[in-house]
Amino acid sequence: MSKIIVQRRALLLGSAAVALAPVSAFAASDVGKPAPAFSAPDSNGKVWSLAELKGKVVVLETSNQDCPYVRKHYSSANMQTQQREAAAKGVVWLTVASSAPGEQGFVTAAEANELTRTRNAAPAAFLLDPQSKIARAYGATVTPHMYVIDASGTLVYKGGIDSIPSSNVADVPKATQYVRVALDQVLAGKPVTEASTRPYGCSLKYGNNAA
């Protein structure tokens, strides 16, 4: 085998490792337990808390507009389509920007609103989490990292939005859409069959923002 082929394979393997969250990040799952409480303002100044959403099914989507994995799902309209499907079923979909100030993915309120407009997105709200409090509470490691919380406040799904860990738009229609499936099962009163999957995306940019 030539040296060039070996190098190419090494590069491919390295890229895959970066794209996937470490196994330890999702092996110790909180699925089946009460979802961590949170309270955060949205891009329009309204404060949202999980406690006030009890009785509603909630989706959390960590986002970084400069991440190619996030762009994959927005440029294909996969994310927006699922946001609208969820809203039509009474689900509260919250996009969360948890990057630290100065880090890739950080947005101001005005920038978040502009993103929602230009991406034709339809979350119930775009939450601003610059100290990464929500992301830390949920153990988010990548963007997009997805969570589904049922009406009783129990975390019933955590992981990737779908089953193909790539940034290729062409893979979207071929993938199992884990979040869509999970929502359908929750809304039908059924247990989520794949409640914890491997998240993939860009590493979440926490920075030195602990507080």
Side-chain angles (χ1 to χ4, degrees):
M1 185 180 296
S2 73
K3 184 177 181 181
I4 292 176
I5 292 174
V6 171
Q7 288 174 333
R8 284 179 178 172
R9 287 189 175 180
L11 284 170
L12 287 171
L13 288 170
S15 297
V18 169
L20 295 169
V23 172
S24 61
F26 63 91
S29 175
D30 294 321
V31 167
K33 298 180 181 179
F38 64 81
S39 179
D42 69 14
S43 55
N44 294 308
K46 177 181 176 180
V47 175
W48 293 72
S49 72
L50 184 60
E52 292 176 351
L53 294 172
K54 193 166 185 179
K56 294 278 190 179
V57 176
V58 177
V59 173
L60 298 180
E61 164 217 345
T62 63
S63 190
N64 168 359
Q65 69 279 6
D66 294 319
C67 170
Y69 300 93
V70 171
R71 288 202 300 264
K72 163 191 175 180
H73 292 288
Y74 276 99
S75 63
S76 65
N78 186 42
M79 193 72 77
Q80 305 95 312
T81 297
Q82 293 196 47
Q83 289 168 348
R84 287 183 168 85
E85 289 174 356
K89 297 172 182 176
V91 174
V92 178
W93 187 298
L94 301 173
T95 299
V96 186
S98 290
S99 293
E103 299 287 342
Q104 184 191 72
F106 172 78
V107 289
T108 63
E111 289 167 339
N113 283 335
E114 182 65 8
L115 272 173
T116 298
R117 185 188 69 79
T118 57
R119 297 195 293 199
N120 192 30
F126 196 136
L127 302 190
L128 305 179
D129 182 36
Q131 293 181 325
S132 310
K133 290 182 178 180
I134 298 174
R136 292 180 192 279
Y138 281 78
T141 56
V142 298
T143 53
H145 204 146
M146 308 296 297
Y147 301 87
V148 177
I149 303 161
D150 72 11
S152 71
T154 299
L155 184 65
V156 293
Y157 176 80
K158 63 186 295 187
I161 185 172
D162 69 14
S163 63
I164 301 181
S166 82
S167 58
N168 187 351
V169 170
D171 287 332
V172 170
K174 298 182 288 186
T176 299
Q177 296 298 323
Y178 289 139
V179 172
R180 179 181 281 134
V181 172
L183 283 177
D184 286 345
Q185 291 173 334
V186 169
L187 293 170
K190 300 176 181 177
V192 177
T193 53
E194 292 189 84
S196 183
T197 67
R198 188 162 198 164
Y200 71 91
C202 302
S203 61
L204 205 147
K205 308 301 188 287
Y206 282 106
N208 297 315
N209 57 0

